[in-house]
Amino acid sequence: DCPELTEIGSKVTQVFATDPDEGSNGQVFYFIKSQSEYFRINATTGEIFNKQILKYQNVTGFSNVNINRHSFIVTSSDRGNPSLISETTVTINVVDSNDNAPQFLKSKYFTPVTKNVKVGTKLIKVIAIDDKDFGLNSEVEYFISNDNHLGKFKLDNDTG
């Protein structure tokens, strides 16, 4: 699995092949067999880098195509004459990164409270949503961030 990558040229993964032959017969280099619009490979090291921004896309519906999965064939070859090759399929699965903060539905919440309100009375509900991330990354948890006014308020972490 590969997290979302917003920087072009980031290392995604690496392939490695060995050749026990000596000299140029043992020198291995790599190339992507069928050109990839998303990835390039360092011919010497086998490091694979992204050529485009990789952003997770939420897939809805019943399609057999997973647009977050990229597969291509990497060929390793020696420099002998004739050259000998080996191939492997590389599959890169882009997964959602938790890269978006939840947003409150209102910028301020206010409710009047009487002096003699009973302990445990529900005063107000705050609501925040994260509709740009998916799965666990879109779930919101609530916390009171300041000193909680000496513990006078309780917040349900799940519901707000």
Side-chain angles (χ1 to χ4, degrees), residues 44-114:
T44 308
T45 65
E47 293 174 306
I48 297 172
F49 302 90
N50 64 317
K51 297 195 310 191
Q52 292 186 25
I53 290 172
L54 298 178
K55 197 82 173 130
Y56 176 84
Q57 298 176 52
N58 192 22
V59 185
T60 54
F62 297 97
S63 170
N64 290 336
V65 179
N66 183 345
I67 57 176
N68 296 303
R69 180 169 292 161
H70 306 276
S71 292
F72 51 91
I73 295 171
V74 170
T75 303
S76 63
S77 175
D78 64 19
R79 297 189 187 278
N81 191 2
S83 60
L84 301 174
I85 66 165
S86 179
E87 295 180 341
T88 189
T89 300
V90 174
T91 301
I92 295 169
N93 193 32
V94 179
V95 295
D96 184 43
S97 296
N98 191 17
D99 55 350
N100 297 288
Q103 300 294 316
F104 282 100
L105 296 186
K106 298 178 184 176
S107 60
K108 293 181 180 181
Y109 289 84
F110 174 81
T111 187
V113 179
T114 60

